[in-house]
């Protein structure tokens, strides 16, 4: 029997629920332990020697997804000086730039050796995947060095438009409904976002959700004239039906 242990900072515990479920459903291993110790969450499993390569592949893809879809955003939030960007655009900007060129991120992250018996998720990233950290730091440096360009909201909107155009579509069609006192986003008729007002914070969250879901097409409905609609149309340009 071979054993493997995955350790991660406790604040990311729930990001690894999917990995635990995948391991269970594989029927190739037994979960030996699943516990918290101080600031660390640990997941341990054991399997027959011949199954470990398949399980290492599951671990590699799960950790790669975590680094790209979760930690990259966390890293950029903590390394970019966002004071020069109008606050309402900050969530959307971080979502957009974190989603930029994830194909290369994926190639780099899957090139690492995930076969070691114990993986400490965050140290593994910094010591074994330095190419990812260097890429992300370059993004942060470029933003910080050119932060003066974002003094006006129009500059941020133009940048968001560029980033959105270069994203891979994640949703087919999203529908945004500006109601009398709130906003709703529907993804395939399922409610994905709701606010009960239309202040700047709500509009900022709305744009961030649209960037995160990255639709192929966007439908916008409004019961009243709304100055924010043209801004959203410009950011998502040809996606808007």
């Amino acid at each position: 029997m071979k054993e493997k242990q995955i350790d991660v900072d406790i604040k990311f515990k729930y990001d690894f629920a999917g990995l635990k479920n995948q391991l269970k459903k594989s029927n190739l291993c037994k979960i030996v332990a699943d516990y918290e110790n101080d600031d660390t969450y640990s997941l341990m499993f054991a399997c027959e020697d011949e199954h470990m390569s398949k399980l290492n592949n599951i671990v590699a893809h799960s950790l790669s997804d975590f680094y790209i879809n979760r930690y990259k955003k966390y890293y950029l939030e903590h390394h970019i000086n966002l004071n020069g960007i109008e606050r309402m655009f900050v969530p959307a900007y971080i979502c957009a730039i974190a989603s930029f060129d994830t194909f290369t991120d994926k190639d780099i992250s899957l090139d690492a050796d995930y076969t070691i018996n114990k993986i400490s998720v965050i140290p593994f990233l910094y010591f074994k995947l330095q190419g990812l950290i260097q890429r992300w730091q370059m993004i942060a440096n470029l933003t910080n060095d050119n932060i003066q360009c974002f003094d006006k909201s129009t500059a941020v909107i133009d940048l968001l438009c560029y980033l959105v155009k270069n994203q891979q579509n994640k949703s087919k069609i999203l529908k945004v409904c500006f109601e009398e006192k709130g906003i709703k986003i529907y993804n395939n008729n399922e409610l994905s976002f709701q606010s009960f007002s239309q202040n700047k914070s709500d509009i900022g969250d709305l744009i961030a959700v649209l960037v995160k879901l990255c639709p192929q097409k966007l439908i916008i409905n409004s019961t009243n004239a709304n100055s924010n609609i043209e801004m959203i149309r410009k950011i998502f340009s040809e996606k808007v039906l």
Side-chain angles (χ1 to χ4, degrees), residues 5-20:
Q5 180 172 333
I6 312 295
D7 293 337
V8 69
D9 191 301
I10 193 67
K11 64 175 168 283
F12 299 118
K13 172 183 176 178
Y14 295 105
D15 292 284
F16 285 83
L19 173 58
K20 181 180 176 181

Side-chain angles (χ1 to χ4, degrees), residues 20-222:
K20 181 180 176 181
N21 290 334
Q22 275 187 287
L23 293 171
K24 281 185 175 180
K25 290 179 180 179
S26 73
N27 293 319
L28 299 176
C29 68
K30 177 181 179 181
I31 303 297
V32 175
D34 171 32
Y35 63 91
E36 299 177 15
N37 183 19
D38 296 327
D39 294 329
T40 302
Y41 167 69
S42 297
L43 175 63
M44 298 175 63
F45 62 90
C47 71
E48 299 296 337
D49 292 8
E50 65 266 24
H51 297 319
M52 186 54 81
S53 61
K54 291 182 180 179
L55 295 169
N56 280 334
N57 188 54
I58 291 174
V59 169
H61 280 84
S62 178
L63 265 63
S64 177
D65 288 343
F66 168 75
Y67 292 141
I68 296 166
N69 299 321
R70 177 74 165 92
Y71 197 82
K72 182 181 182 181
K73 183 172 178 286
Y74 177 87
Y75 181 93
L76 293 174
E77 285 175 334
H78 287 79
H79 287 81
I80 291 178
N81 176 12
L82 298 168
N83 294 329
I85 299 175
E86 188 174 344
R87 183 172 294 275
M88 71 174 288
F89 294 112
V90 167
Y93 176 74
I94 290 295
C95 282
I97 206 160
S99 298
F100 188 72
D101 194 15
T102 55
F103 291 109
T104 304
D105 287 333
K106 189 80 169 178
D107 289 341
I108 294 172
S109 63
L110 288 177
D111 195 41
D113 180 7
Y114 293 90
T115 61
I116 56 178
N117 294 335
K118 182 177 179 179
I119 297 179
S120 296
V121 176
I122 306 305
F124 186 88
L125 168 64
Y126 282 85
F127 289 103
K128 301 295 184 180
L129 289 169
Q130 294 182 6
L132 275 184
I133 296 298
Q134 290 168 0
R135 278 172 54 79
W136 300 348
Q137 189 58 55
M138 180 183 68
I139 292 171
N141 290 342
L142 284 171
T143 298
N144 293 335
D145 291 344
N146 295 280
I147 200 71
Q148 67 274 9
C149 297
F150 302 122
D151 288 342
K152 296 181 179 180
S153 61
T154 52
V156 185
I157 291 171
D158 289 341
L159 180 57
L160 282 173
C161 184
Y162 170 77
L163 292 171
V164 166
K165 282 181 180 179
N166 287 278
Q167 277 186 307
Q168 181 186 17
N169 295 325
K170 298 175 184 176
S171 307
K172 190 171 183 180
I173 298 177
L174 295 182
K175 184 178 180 181
V176 180
C177 298
F178 283 87
E179 301 179 337
E180 186 176 351
K181 294 184 178 179
I183 313 167
K184 292 180 180 178
I185 297 177
Y186 290 96
N187 184 359
N188 194 26
N189 295 322
E190 291 187 5
L191 185 64
S192 296
F193 171 84
Q194 182 175 14
S195 71
F196 296 98
S197 63
Q198 297 180 15
N199 57 35
K200 276 193 172 185
S201 177
D202 295 321
I203 299 300
D205 290 341
L206 164 68
I207 297 171
V209 171
L210 292 177
V211 169
K212 184 177 181 179
L213 295 177
C214 195
Q216 182 178 352
K217 296 298 178 183
L218 181 62
I219 299 170
I220 303 175
N221 291 333
S222 179

